[in-house]
Amino acid sequence: MTADGIRFKVADTQKYAGDLYAHFGTVEEGTVKPGAALALEVDRARRGAIRRNHSATHLLHEALRQVLGDHVAQKGSLVAPDRLRFDFSHPKAMSGEEIERVEDIANDFILQNAPVITRLMSRDDAVASGARALFGEKYGDEVRVVAMGENPTTSGGGNTLGWSVELCGGTHVNRTGDIGIVSVVAESGVSAGVRRIEALTSTAARHNANDLARIAKTAAAELRTTVDELPARIGTLMDERKRLERDLAEAKKKLALGGSGGSEAGASADGVREVGDVKLMARAVEGIELKDLRSLADDGKKKLGSGVVAIVGVSADGKAGIVVGVTNDLVTRFNAIDLARRGAEALGGKGGGGRPDMAQAGGPDGSKAQAAIAAIEAALAG
């Protein structure tokens, strides 16, 4: 607020040619006029959060290089009050163990609580000292060098200025301990050869840890176990679910091959009918995954010994898939691909593919399942 009653809230600041800084924001009170003097008031809580996240980015950058290799280079970053994001060059996803090692290294230097030292140096001296610079970034003759952490390897050729040493003009904490803690919450791919980590620091990291602990305790209570035993309990339940799904799928397949299934007159209870001198097992089934139709047709061929099997599976969304199987002794007379295509046409579809003894096709109209079976029967009779 100025003497003229002007209040201007800054949302962003950009640096232009030379040392020209431009503030972008909103006039909340009064009218801004050329030449008006404004007093800058910094949001200390917001600025403090940005300092912690920015400083943690430096530590994570160096930790990534130590864990993954010297090829790691910054490809982009975001420093916000509530989180940080760091993009870096690396050819593949990080393992869980690698992420933990990066976290551990960064937090070890946070616990050092060493002072964060900034120096103004000539660009040549800074580069000669081993300070890391961003590829493609333009620097002036004088640069700002930010050093963090006491380097335990200086006697072996490490940087004498500190553990993490970078050219940077941003705002940072006074000591590494001011960061509190850093926690990596996500790792993902951005583009070919570029990975991204996202992390939290200080209060945000603590709140996230508390939220995760609360979720784990709630899940453990629901499953009547302890948090320590939660992974094993979930693993047991997943194994049990897979077994039940297999049993259910087998039961549905047996029912499909053995029940009435809406077979037409003249067909046996398992859907087998005689078409000339050929046995045809033809059924329309529901509640069976379309991917399981092939195994169902295989079972039907074994049951027939010699003949043709046509299974039309109708899905919950009303579409249909059709699988046709021909036993080996009949493939010279009937081609499963041709039969599947005939059935698909009745379903409103076209095409189909596979082998002469087993083929699959489909169509959008599952209500025409019996018409598809009739089309295949007509093809056998003709």
Side-chain angles (χ1 to χ4, degrees):
M1 179 75 74
T2 69
D4 297 327
I6 301 172
R7 184 184 296 274
F8 180 74
K9 185 175 182 179
V10 177
D12 189 24
T13 300
Q14 297 287 338
K15 183 180 180 181
Y16 290 91
D19 293 327
L20 175 63
Y21 290 86
H23 300 290
F24 298 85
T26 304
V27 178
E28 297 184 334
E29 293 183 25
T31 302
V32 175
K33 299 178 182 179
L38 298 177
L40 179 64
E41 295 180 1
V42 177
D43 184 337
R44 294 185 179 277
R46 182 176 182 276
R47 177 62 61 85
I50 292 174
R51 284 173 174 162
R52 289 189 290 271
N53 288 338
H54 192 181
S55 302
T57 301
H58 282 234
L59 296 180
L60 287 172
H61 186 187
E62 191 62 29
L64 285 165
R65 290 176 61 87
Q66 186 167 327
V67 172
L68 302 179
D70 288 339
H71 64 277
V72 170
Q74 180 176 336
K75 294 298 182 180
S77 70
L78 169 70
V79 177
D82 58 333
R83 63 193 174 99
L84 69 91
R85 187 178 72 206
F86 186 73
D87 299 343
F88 59 98
S89 53
H90 189 56
K92 61 181 180 180
M94 294 178 64
S95 67
E97 181 183 358
E98 288 172 335
I99 293 174
E100 288 183 8
R101 287 171 59 197
V102 167
E103 273 189 340
D104 287 343
I105 291 171
N107 282 300
D108 283 344
F109 280 94
I110 289 173
L111 287 174
Q112 275 189 358
N113 198 28
V116 175
I117 300 174
T118 61
R119 298 175 176 87
L120 291 178
M121 304 173 65
S122 70
R123 181 176 54 186
D124 292 341
D125 288 344
V127 173
S129 74
R132 304 197 189 283
L134 295 183
F135 179 77
E137 188 77 8
K138 294 181 179 179
Y139 297 99
D141 293 333
E142 188 177 63
V143 294
R144 186 166 177 260
V145 179
V146 179
M148 298 184 191
E150 297 175 357
N151 197 335
T153 62
T154 52
S155 60
N159 196 313
T160 58
L161 299 182
W163 181 71
S164 166
V165 184
E166 296 188 25
L167 305 187
C168 183
T171 183
H172 294 282
V173 296
N174 293 322
R175 306 183 73 92
T176 58
D178 296 342
I179 300 171
I181 187 175
V182 61
S183 174
V184 177
V185 296
E187 192 272 353
S188 60
V190 177
S191 60
V194 178
R195 306 297 300 179
R196 168 176 294 171
I197 57 172
E198 298 175 61
L200 305 174
T201 65
S202 189
T203 302
R206 180 168 56 85
H207 286 171
N208 182 66
N210 289 341
D211 289 342
L212 293 177
R214 190 179 305 111
I215 292 171
K217 290 177 182 177
T218 300
E222 288 289 332
L223 298 179
R224 298 180 180 178
T225 187
T226 65
V227 172
D228 290 341
E229 296 296 327
L230 186 58
R233 176 62 172 152
I234 292 175
T236 299
L237 289 176
M238 292 301 296
D239 290 342
E240 183 176 344
R241 176 177 174 173
K242 291 177 182 178
R243 179 182 60 79
L244 291 174
E245 288 176 343
R246 287 195 299 268
D247 291 347
L248 180 60
E250 288 299 319
K252 287 181 177 179
K253 287 165 60 177
K254 290 180 181 179
L255 180 62
L257 289 176
S260 60
S263 300
E264 298 175 356
S268 64
D270 56 6
V272 178
R273 68 200 70 177
E274 297 283 344
V275 182
D277 61 346
V278 178
K279 291 181 180 179
L280 170 65
M281 175 184 286
R283 302 188 59 79
V285 298
E286 297 181 0
I288 295 180
E289 296 289 337
L290 295 182
K291 62 182 178 63
D292 293 330
L293 292 181
R294 294 181 70 90
S295 63
L296 196 60
D298 276 330
D299 292 342
K301 288 168 63 176
K302 294 176 182 178
K303 190 171 184 178
L304 284 179
S306 175
V308 175
V309 179
I311 308 293
V312 181
V314 182
S315 61
D317 59 3
K319 298 179 181 180
I322 182 170
V323 172
V324 176
V326 179
T327 56
N328 291 334
D329 62 312
L330 296 177
V331 292
T332 56
R333 294 177 57 189
F334 305 106
N335 189 307
I337 299 175
D338 295 336
L339 295 175
R341 289 174 177 172
R342 290 286 292 271
E345 290 175 0
L347 298 170
K350 60 174 63 174
R355 308 186 307 271
D357 66 325
M358 182 70 71
Q360 184 170 336
D365 191 355
S367 66
K368 300 293 180 62
Q370 291 299 331
I373 291 174
I376 292 173
E377 183 173 355
L380 294 177

